[in-house]
Amino acid sequence: MAKRNRNILLWILGFYLIVLSLSWYVQISFPQVDHPGKYEKSALLSVSDQQIEVTYHELGYDDETEKPRLIILPDIYFKTDAVLPLAERLQQSYHIIIPEITDFQEGTLRDRFTIAHKKEVLNRFKEKTGFQNTHVIGHGYSGLLAIESAADSHSYKSLTLISSLGAQELRFLGNHHINRSLYSLSRPFLSLYKYAFPHFGRYSGQRFSLDYVDAMRNLDQRDFRETAKKLELPVLILHDVKDQNVPQSTAKETHRIVPQSQLVLLEGVETNNRLTDERWSSEIFQFLELVEAGEGIDRSEALEQRVQQSLESFDSEDVDALSGKAFFIIFILIMAVTIFSEDLSVIAAGLLSAAGILPFFYAVLSCFLGILIVDINIYWLGKKVGNPILRRAPFRWMIKEKDLNRVQNLYEMYGMELLFIARFIPGARFPTYFAAGLLRSDFKTFIIYFVISVAVWTPLLVGLTVLIGQPMLQYLSVYQDYAIWILAFTVLLIYLIVKVGIPLTTVRGRRRLLVKWSRFIQRFS
């Protein structure tokens, strides 16, 4: 039977290697070719002693007519295809260039995925193309690049943000470190898909790539508010009310921070991830015409009421809760994070609840379900895998059958206490639940104790995070430092109870301990 199973595995492995080889043959022999676009050009830039070739699209150029200049920075995910329809509508009145933002990440520099590096490349690109006194539009991710560039330069006439990213609290799971961790966790899976999965070149055409993940990993929005407050030029903020990638609360918060900004929320926009709806170009054209006519409103002309509102602290009461597809994605993501860290998952849910993005009930529910699924599987892992392992060397030398029986008796007597202690000690949960399965403890008893402990711990930690906010991550870090010692002490205590405490309760056990103690004294006397 074992030989048959081994042969089946070898056949499966052989088939996989053949298909993977065919996939690599197709990718090498028939590489994906990017044909030049209708408006495509390129420029060679020197950035930090490196040569970078940047592809860009130029529209509306006219030798006879000097048109106002406009730079459109496309989103790093949807890329140039998303903004080309907009540029084609505006090219009659404006000389437009659209650089490929992904080319800004080329090279070998360690910081090439950061906004700061892209801003430096953008400055070199403007010098190369002569686009100095220009309007700028930032779409999605590149809205942050446009804001950073416009805040530190006087070479822009106006700034337009389309579905732009903004405040950190309103992005993804609401915290820089948690968001970065999630993107970091996705990287090995993408690498496996790229190199070890027979996709026959499909990876090359997908948007969710390693370069995209690296860009998002290096995205730091913690200083967004301070940067946005430096904007002096006229600002237009455009947003689709049903945008599933960036919630409209992000646009509203940016509008509040920048007192001279104008906010336009569009309803019923075609959701094909391309700016084909003529209302995008209509709103932008009207705004740019006002600026060109000298009627744009800069910070010095902002209403006093708006200025005072921009100085107020962020209020989560003004944020609309997630709904639809965005709500479902965040709910599932929080559940998924519990696989890697239950503490981070609960704190992330609490931060989202504190920001008004996710209702408290659903924040707790998503964590509870994720923890339930993960930890019950740990129990079954211990039950199915643990016993066979303990029968093999070196585990059978360290853990005797009688020790397992003692621990099982201990668990039956103090199971409730052990589960509660483990729930509040990071690092203790896996061994506790694994041991419960290993000792073949009654599943019904385990699930009752486990559910009660999680039902107490989850809303408690989510609630504390809602009250404390971002500093909760610092408290968690300190707590985890001490939790290591608490865990070590708990393990030592359990060992002493099994080896000393339980034997002391019987006459036979006391005699054996006395004999062991006598031998120990004789050895070292």
Side-chain angles (χ1 to χ4, degrees), residues 58-72:
E58 185 172 18
L59 296 82
Y61 175 71
D62 191 339
D63 288 330
E64 300 179 358
T65 307
E66 184 68 24
K67 297 178 183 178
R69 296 180 174 182
L70 170 64
I71 295 178
I72 301 179

Side-chain angles (χ1 to χ4, degrees), residues 5 78 107 132 147 158 198 211 239 253 290 389 405 471 495:
N5 290 337
F78 295 111
Q132 291 298 329
I147 291 171
S158 73
D211 284 345
H239 211 90
E253 177 63 7
L290 285 174
I389 290 177
N405 293 333
Y495 178 81

